[in-house]
mmCIF file of all heavy atoms in Angstrom:
data_model
loop_
_atom_site.group_PDB
_atom_site.id
_atom_site.type_symbol
_atom_site.label_atom_id
_atom_site.label_comp_id
_atom_site.label_asym_id
_atom_site.label_seq_id
_atom_site.Cartn_x
_atom_site.Cartn_y
_atom_site.Cartn_z
ATOM 1 N N GLN Y 48 66.322 -43.316 -1.092
ATOM 2 C CA GLN Y 48 65.738 -42.804 0.136
ATOM 3 C C GLN Y 48 64.426 -43.520 0.472
ATOM 4 O O GLN Y 48 63.558 -43.696 -0.371
ATOM 5 C CB GLN Y 48 65.475 -41.306 0.025
ATOM 6 C CG GLN Y 48 66.728 -40.452 0.109
ATOM 7 C CD GLN Y 48 67.351 -40.494 1.500
ATOM 8 O OE1 GLN Y 48 66.679 -40.290 2.509
ATOM 9 N NE2 GLN Y 48 68.649 -40.764 1.552
ATOM 10 N N ILE Y 49 64.320 -43.932 1.736
ATOM 11 C CA ILE Y 49 63.081 -44.471 2.289
ATOM 12 C C ILE Y 49 62.590 -43.457 3.314
ATOM 13 O O ILE Y 49 63.313 -43.111 4.244
ATOM 14 C CB ILE Y 49 63.313 -45.822 2.994
ATOM 15 C CG1 ILE Y 49 63.959 -46.829 2.049
ATOM 16 C CG2 ILE Y 49 62.012 -46.377 3.559
ATOM 17 C CD1 ILE Y 49 64.584 -48.013 2.781
ATOM 18 N N CYS Y 50 61.379 -42.964 3.136
ATOM 19 C CA CYS Y 50 60.841 -41.949 4.045
ATOM 20 C C CYS Y 50 59.531 -42.443 4.642
ATOM 21 O O CYS Y 50 58.653 -42.918 3.909
ATOM 22 C CB CYS Y 50 60.620 -40.631 3.313
ATOM 23 S SG CYS Y 50 60.010 -39.299 4.379
ATOM 24 N N LEU Y 51 59.406 -42.354 5.964
ATOM 25 C CA LEU Y 51 58.185 -42.737 6.666
ATOM 26 C C LEU Y 51 57.636 -41.520 7.398
ATOM 27 O O LEU Y 51 58.340 -40.889 8.189
ATOM 28 C CB LEU Y 51 58.490 -43.855 7.673
ATOM 29 C CG LEU Y 51 57.322 -44.302 8.568
ATOM 30 C CD1 LEU Y 51 56.199 -44.924 7.745
ATOM 31 C CD2 LEU Y 51 57.801 -45.284 9.634
ATOM 32 N N LYS Y 59 58.353 -38.289 11.396
ATOM 33 C CA LYS Y 59 58.926 -38.142 10.062
ATOM 34 C C LYS Y 59 60.383 -38.579 10.145
ATOM 35 O O LYS Y 59 61.178 -38.001 10.894
ATOM 36 C CB LYS Y 59 58.841 -36.700 9.549
ATOM 37 C CG LYS Y 59 59.416 -36.557 8.132
ATOM 38 C CD LYS Y 59 59.243 -35.149 7.580
ATOM 39 C CE LYS Y 59 59.770 -35.063 6.148
ATOM 40 N NZ LYS Y 59 59.592 -33.706 5.580
ATOM 41 N N HIS Y 60 60.712 -39.625 9.400
ATOM 42 C CA HIS Y 60 62.076 -40.150 9.462
ATOM 43 C C HIS Y 60 62.451 -40.733 8.099
ATOM 44 O O HIS Y 60 61.614 -41.290 7.391
ATOM 45 C CB HIS Y 60 62.184 -41.234 10.532
ATOM 46 C CG HIS Y 60 63.601 -41.483 10.972
ATOM 47 N ND1 HIS Y 60 64.217 -40.721 11.951
ATOM 48 C CD2 HIS Y 60 64.521 -42.383 10.560
ATOM 49 C CE1 HIS Y 60 65.451 -41.157 12.128
ATOM 50 N NE2 HIS Y 60 65.655 -42.161 11.296
ATOM 51 N N SER Y 61 63.720 -40.602 7.759
ATOM 52 C CA SER Y 61 64.224 -41.120 6.486
ATOM 53 C C SER Y 61 65.436 -42.014 6.726
ATOM 54 O O SER Y 61 66.176 -41.840 7.698
ATOM 55 C CB SER Y 61 64.625 -39.972 5.545
ATOM 56 O OG SER Y 61 63.493 -39.208 5.183
ATOM 57 N N TRP Y 62 65.591 -42.974 5.838
ATOM 58 C CA TRP Y 62 66.755 -43.856 5.843
ATOM 59 C C TRP Y 62 67.311 -43.947 4.429
ATOM 60 O O TRP Y 62 66.569 -43.799 3.444
ATOM 61 C CB TRP Y 62 66.379 -45.275 6.279
ATOM 62 C CG TRP Y 62 65.848 -45.424 7.656
ATOM 63 C CD1 TRP Y 62 66.554 -45.669 8.803
ATOM 64 C CD2 TRP Y 62 64.472 -45.359 8.056
ATOM 65 N NE1 TRP Y 62 65.710 -45.767 9.882
ATOM 66 C CE2 TRP Y 62 64.425 -45.583 9.457
ATOM 67 C CE3 TRP Y 62 63.260 -45.140 7.377
ATOM 68 C CZ2 TRP Y 62 63.234 -45.592 10.170
ATOM 69 C CZ3 TRP Y 62 62.084 -45.143 8.086
ATOM 70 C CH2 TRP Y 62 62.072 -45.363 9.466
ATOM 71 N N ASN Y 63 68.592 -44.182 4.324
ATOM 72 C CA ASN Y 63 69.195 -44.537 3.046
ATOM 73 C C ASN Y 63 69.163 -46.056 2.952
ATOM 74 O O ASN Y 63 69.694 -46.739 3.820
ATOM 75 C CB ASN Y 63 70.642 -44.021 2.978
ATOM 76 C CG ASN Y 63 71.235 -44.164 1.591
ATOM 77 O OD1 ASN Y 63 71.037 -45.182 0.922
ATOM 78 N ND2 ASN Y 63 71.978 -43.162 1.154
#
Side-chain angles (χ1 to χ4, degrees):
Q48 286 292 310
I49 304 163
C50 182
L51 176 64
K59 181 176 183 179
H60 199 85
S61 295
W62 297 270
N63 189 319

